Amino acid sequence: MAGSELTNVKSPRVKAARRLTKRAFRDQDRKFLAEGPQAVREALRLADVTLELFTTAEAELRHAELITAATLQGVPVHRASGEVMAELTQTVTPQGLVAVCRLVHVPLERALEGTPRLVAVLAHVRDPGNAGTVMRAADAAGADAVVFTDASVDPYNGKCVRASAGSLFHLPVVIGAPVSPSVRQLKERGLRVLAADGAGKHTLDDVDLSGPTAWIFGNEAWGLPEEIRAEADDVVRVPIYGQAESLNLATAAAVCLYSSARAQRVP
């Protein structure tokens, strides 16, 4: 690793990275921060995505393979003091690794190339932890894409990136997509569009999920607006067999996505 340890939180390099904690600057610079070894590992697996890497001396020793991988790719690696790392991270206990990455989202048309069979659409989802967890669940279920509508949280939000556990780098992610045109495109590509909502007349037990499906998941507090439910081919609810009032967004999304994934794989 070249150069001395970065200790000045006001240095131009640190300030340039620190500004990426704000959405306006991420949009302007076309960059974001990926924090922690899992996110850094997955970012490094994509060509030309990681622009620079900050590491503490302790993390440099603990994750030597990531430092080596970055160096072999020609990614500048900067050793940073604990104080500098605290400026770049948004966790109580930083893990000592932060990568500056290029934005990785794609247009909806590109995300739907080929023959997509499972897509997750986040409509008006505002909680970054929930959104990141849905990305992770979609990735685990083998989804072809995740679509963030124009009223949803920024997937490059630090908490969202961490909650995705690297899945942000695994599957096509679309951001800022208007709901109606997106639903229309999904239908044109042969996907049945299902709105997941507690007010649905049908449950997961009632519907055939074996075909190509796009699931729309709504806001954590008020669900999906009527106009979005009306655009879907059907409104489906997760059955509650016990006494719980409901499931939270990320859990319900995981159940729906895995139900589709399993139905599509059953001979």
Side-chain angles (χ1 to χ4, degrees):
M1 181 182 299
S4 58
E5 182 176 85
L6 290 171
T7 59
N8 183 2
V9 298
K10 296 183 178 180
S11 71
R13 188 182 302 279
V14 175
K15 289 174 67 176
R18 170 65 181 170
R19 68 189 251 127
L20 301 177
T21 59
K22 304 294 184 182
R23 180 169 189 170
F25 293 125
R26 291 195 294 269
D27 291 342
Q28 180 177 321
D29 295 352
R30 310 295 295 169
K31 302 174 186 176
F32 71 103
L33 299 178
E35 177 185 345
Q38 180 63 18
V40 170
R41 181 177 294 107
E42 302 312 309
L44 286 170
R45 286 176 176 168
L46 296 180
D48 300 321
V49 165
T50 308
L51 299 173
E52 56 184 330
L53 179 63
F54 295 84
T55 176
T56 61
E58 183 181 5
E60 181 184 351
L61 294 174
R62 188 185 310 119
H63 303 290
E65 78 285 359
L66 297 181
I67 306 303
T68 299
T71 302
L72 289 174
Q73 290 185 31
V75 175
V77 179
H78 315 294
R79 184 182 296 135
S81 67
E83 184 179 9
V84 166
M85 191 60 65
E87 286 291 303
L88 302 180
T89 58
Q90 297 174 302
T91 53
V92 176
T93 308
Q95 294 178 282
L97 284 172
V98 176
V100 176
C101 301
R102 300 183 195 276
L103 303 187
V104 295
H105 63 275
V106 299
L108 182 59
E109 295 79 7
R110 180 175 166 189
L112 298 181
E113 288 177 349
T115 55
R117 292 189 57 81
L118 184 57
V119 175
V121 180
L122 281 68
H124 303 284
V125 173
R126 306 310 302 270
D127 181 84
N130 270 333
T133 303
V134 172
M135 271 198 286
R136 185 177 184 179
D139 182 19
D144 298 288
V146 176
V147 179
F148 284 71
T149 66
D150 48 10
S152 289
V153 67
D154 179 16
Y156 300 114
N157 173 289
K159 186 175 181 180
C160 190
V161 175
R162 291 192 302 276
S164 81
S167 290
L168 172 64
F169 300 104
H170 292 168
L171 74 176
V173 174
V174 179
I175 69 172
V179 175
S180 293
S182 298
V183 169
R184 185 166 57 250
Q185 283 186 258
L186 289 163
K187 291 181 178 180
E188 289 172 352
R189 293 307 308 274
L191 289 103
R192 183 185 183 196
V193 177
L194 300 179
D197 193 273
K201 290 192 298 183
H202 301 110
T203 73
L204 282 173
D205 296 335
D206 304 325
V207 294
D208 179 5
L209 299 174
S210 61
T213 302
W215 282 99
I216 305 179
F217 305 109
N219 182 269
E220 297 83 358
W222 59 80
L224 286 168
E226 173 56 35
E227 60 269 22
I228 293 180
R229 295 200 300 269
E231 301 223 33
D233 294 308
D234 202 349
V235 181
V236 181
R237 71 180 189 275
V238 177
I240 302 293
Y241 303 120
Q243 299 182 56
E245 179 188 6
S246 63
L247 296 173
N248 70 19
L249 168 66
T251 302
V255 171
C256 293
L257 291 165
Y258 264 92
S259 295
S260 285
R262 181 178 183 279
Q264 292 177 4
R265 284 163 175 77
V266 173

